[in-house]
Amino acid sequence: MHKLILSSLLLIYHFSLFAQPSDSSIQWPDGKRMALSLSFDDGRPSQVDVGTPLFDRYDAKATFYLVPSAVKQRLPKWKKAAKAGHEMGNHSLQHPCSGNFLWARDKAIEKYTLEEMKTELKEANQQIAQMLGVTPTTFAYPCGQTYVGRGTQTQSYVPVVAELFTAGRGWLDEAPNDPSYCDMAQITGVSMDTKDFEEIKTIVETAAAQGLWLVLAGHDIGEEGRQTTRTAMLKTLIQYAQDPANGIWLAPVGEVADYVLSKR
């Protein structure tokens, strides 16, 4: 209990550091105070076993950043999710991350070139389009890492993402996005894994007070697990977001990105 209270207090303090008035000139649709996007990485089975039935029950649309090989494990369910209007995003073909993760050593981004990364992202788009009938327009950086190479040969692949996609989302970021300022190829993604509603509500309230766009990022959807977004939290969050009194526009990443770009 003491650990939970301390965690919540630290979270409140952390986000209060960013609670400065926004100078954004972009107004959200229908007088909403903020935009909120729910996004999930990897195309894990629990996302369509547990997640999409929950979202469909509340008529809430989410964004799923897919690795094609994972989609094949639940292909009929992913087809149903795409048909229901959930956004299908790109999360690369091989999920390359730093070789400092031992599980990524055989696909380490330190070994990639920009051209190899571009080829991989285009191939992932093609495979997702072939399987699901939709071509991704947004991307999530695996492990939130935006570079290839090492040392003096390190290069950012953010320009590649900017060329191929409307938006690119990060991971483990610290603040929501200012729609009038944020780099669409590097929008922030705030983790929602393992958090309860009160922790998430603190972040949402900060974003609403400033007219910002909060993109939450998770992995599995269920009740337990280190990289799991809790179903109880999601139910409460969706109900909170859909209450007109709270002024929240709940929409997929791509839909919000298109709106922001149309207003700039």
Side-chain angles (χ1 to χ4, degrees):
M1 177 61 73
H2 292 300
K3 184 177 180 181
L4 178 60
I5 293 172
L6 178 59
S7 175
S8 297
L9 289 173
L10 288 173
L11 190 70
I12 291 170
Y13 171 74
H14 177 80
F15 278 92
S16 71
L17 296 177
F18 298 95
Q20 302 298 322
S22 170
D23 60 359
S24 175
S25 59
I26 293 178
Q27 303 299 311
W28 298 114
D30 303 319
K32 300 295 187 183
R33 301 172 61 208
M34 66 169 291
L36 172 64
S37 298
L38 306 178
S39 64
F40 300 87
D41 291 1
D42 303 337
R44 300 187 183 192
S46 65
Q47 293 170 9
V48 284
D49 290 347
V50 179
T52 52
L54 169 63
F55 300 138
D56 292 344
R57 195 177 314 141
Y58 289 97
D59 192 26
K61 307 305 180 188
T63 298
F64 296 94
Y65 289 109
L66 306 175
V67 174
S69 59
V71 173
K72 296 173 183 178
Q73 299 176 34
R74 295 287 193 279
L75 185 54
K77 290 185 176 182
W78 281 114
K79 286 182 177 180
K80 182 179 179 181
K83 188 175 181 179
H86 297 289
E87 180 183 8
M88 302 292 120
N90 185 319
H91 200 42
S92 80
L93 199 63
Q94 301 292 333
H95 200 285
C97 291
S98 171
N100 281 307
F101 296 112
L102 294 181
W103 52 264
R105 189 63 59 85
D106 63 344
K107 49 195 174 185
I109 54 175
E110 290 88 350
K111 299 177 182 178
Y112 271 69
T113 65
L114 291 179
E115 192 58 38
E116 288 170 339
M117 182 62 75
K118 184 175 183 178
T119 298
E120 172 160 336
L121 300 188
K122 292 172 70 174
E123 176 62 25
N125 258 15
Q126 291 174 3
Q127 290 193 23
I128 292 169
Q130 289 171 355
M131 289 187 290
L132 303 180
V134 293
T135 300
T137 62
T138 69
F139 173 76
Y141 296 92
C143 300
Q145 296 167 328
T146 62
Y147 63 90
V148 298
R150 62 166 64 240
T152 59
Q153 303 303 309
T154 301
Q155 293 178 285
S156 168
Y157 75 93
V158 171
V160 173
V161 171
E163 177 185 345
L164 297 179
F165 301 96
T166 302
R169 196 220 70 205
W171 165 241
L172 293 180
D173 294 305
E174 298 181 323
N177 300 277
D178 184 331
S180 66
Y181 180 83
C182 64
D183 179 355
M184 298 302 286
Q186 301 185 81
I187 60 174
T188 59
V190 177
S191 175
M192 59 179 159
D193 284 341
T194 74
K195 292 183 172 64
D196 61 26
F197 174 69
E198 290 304 318
E199 292 176 284
I200 296 296
K201 184 181 178 184
T202 298
I203 309 171
V204 171
E205 289 177 339
T206 298
Q210 301 173 73
L212 303 180
W213 174 21
L214 174 62
V215 181
L216 294 173
H219 293 84
D220 275 306
I221 300 175
E223 301 303 332
E224 300 294 336
R226 183 180 64 85
Q227 280 197 329
T228 301
T229 295
R230 308 296 188 233
T231 53
M233 185 281 290
L234 284 172
K235 289 178 184 178
T236 306
L237 177 60
I238 292 170
Q239 291 172 335
Y240 181 84
Q242 292 181 335
D243 183 344
N246 295 318
I248 299 171
W249 178 30
L250 179 61
V253 173
E255 184 176 347
V256 179
D258 287 342
Y259 177 84
V260 169
L261 290 172
S262 75
K263 297 298 180 181
R264 283 185 171 180

